[in-house]
């Protein structure tokens, strides 16, 4: 049984998380999906409260780690030392993915150095100014790291 951790934070993008969680949650015999965050629950951009199944530090025990997005939530998450320091991800042992602006987290962790990536078209210029090699594609896979573009690209990422 594979362990999949979906990383949440406040002001996450509703469609990115709920679609990802719904698609992955339909199968229970191949993998176990956990919602991980820094608090017992996080609120979406639209105000929907989601309870977490564990602390974000549990990402290190997951076989697959998926970072959600949020145009307001991502900047706050990047500044949160507890959030960022808990993400000790290892692409040699884990499959790691992000949707939309979640690629900023992977970029800040140094996991995308020298790699092609994608993100939401509105965030492309910012990531490029930070040194990211941003492609205008729905999904970019480099080794065990996958970045997906805008919201509906989550279908590619989960697939």
């Amino acid at each position: 049984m594979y362990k999949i951790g979906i990383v949440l934070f406040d002001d996450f993008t509703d469609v990115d998380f709920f679609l990802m969680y719904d698609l992955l949650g339909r199968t229970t015999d191949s993998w176990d999906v956990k919602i991980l965050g820094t608090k017992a629950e996080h609120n979406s951009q639209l105000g929907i409260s989601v309870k977490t199944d564990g602390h974000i530090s549990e990402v290190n025990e997951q076989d697959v780690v998926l970072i959600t997005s949020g145009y307001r939530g991502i900047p706050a998450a990047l500044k949160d030392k507890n959030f960022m320091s808990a993400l000790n991800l290892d692409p040699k042992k884990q499959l790691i993915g992000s949707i939309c602006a979640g690629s900023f987290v992977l970029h800040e962790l140094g996991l995308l150095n020298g790699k092609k990536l994608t993100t939401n078209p509105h965030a492309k210029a910012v990531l490029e100014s930070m040194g990211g090699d941003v492609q205008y594609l729905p999904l970019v896979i480099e080794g065990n790291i996958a970045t997906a573009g805008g919201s509906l690209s989550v279908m590619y990422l989960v697939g």
Side-chain angles (χ1 to χ4, degrees):
M1 173 98 42
Y2 291 100
K3 296 184 285 185
I4 299 175
I6 300 176
V7 176
L8 271 193
F9 41 82
D10 283 329
D11 286 322
F12 63 88
T13 301
D14 296 72
V15 68
D16 291 344
F17 166 72
F18 288 111
L19 185 54
M20 183 185 308
Y21 187 63
D22 180 60
L23 292 170
L24 291 169
R26 292 171 185 255
T27 300
T28 57
D29 58 342
S30 298
W31 52 73
D32 178 47
V33 180
K34 281 185 136 182
I35 302 167
L36 305 173
T38 56
K39 304 187 305 188
E41 61 183 49
H42 287 282
N43 294 314
S44 74
Q45 286 179 341
L46 297 177
I48 298 171
S49 182
V50 174
K51 292 182 181 179
T52 58
D53 299 313
H55 189 265
I56 193 170
S57 60
E58 292 181 41
V59 297
N60 308 317
E61 304 161 13
Q62 306 302 304
D63 300 305
V64 179
V65 178
L66 300 170
I67 311 290
T68 55
S69 69
Y71 71 91
R72 288 190 310 242
I74 287 290
L78 292 172
K79 292 177 186 173
D80 182 343
K81 290 181 180 153
N82 291 327
F83 177 87
M84 293 300 291
S85 67
L87 297 172
N88 296 315
L89 304 177
D90 185 352
K92 292 178 182 160
K93 298 178 182 176
Q94 298 172 299
L95 298 176
I96 302 166
S98 66
I99 179 69
C100 195
S103 58
F104 281 90
V105 173
L106 300 182
H107 185 272
E108 285 299 305
L109 291 171
L111 296 173
L112 298 175
N113 291 345
K115 293 180 171 41
K116 294 179 180 177
L117 65 120
T118 192
T119 188
N120 180 301
H122 299 291
K124 184 177 188 267
V126 176
L127 262 174
E128 285 177 332
S129 73
M130 296 168 62
D133 186 2
V134 184
Q135 308 297 302
Y136 192 68
L137 295 167
L139 182 71
V140 173
I141 300 172
E142 289 266 349
N144 283 344
I145 300 175
T147 53
S151 294
L152 295 180
S153 295
V154 76
M155 302 293 283
Y156 297 106
L157 180 63
V158 171

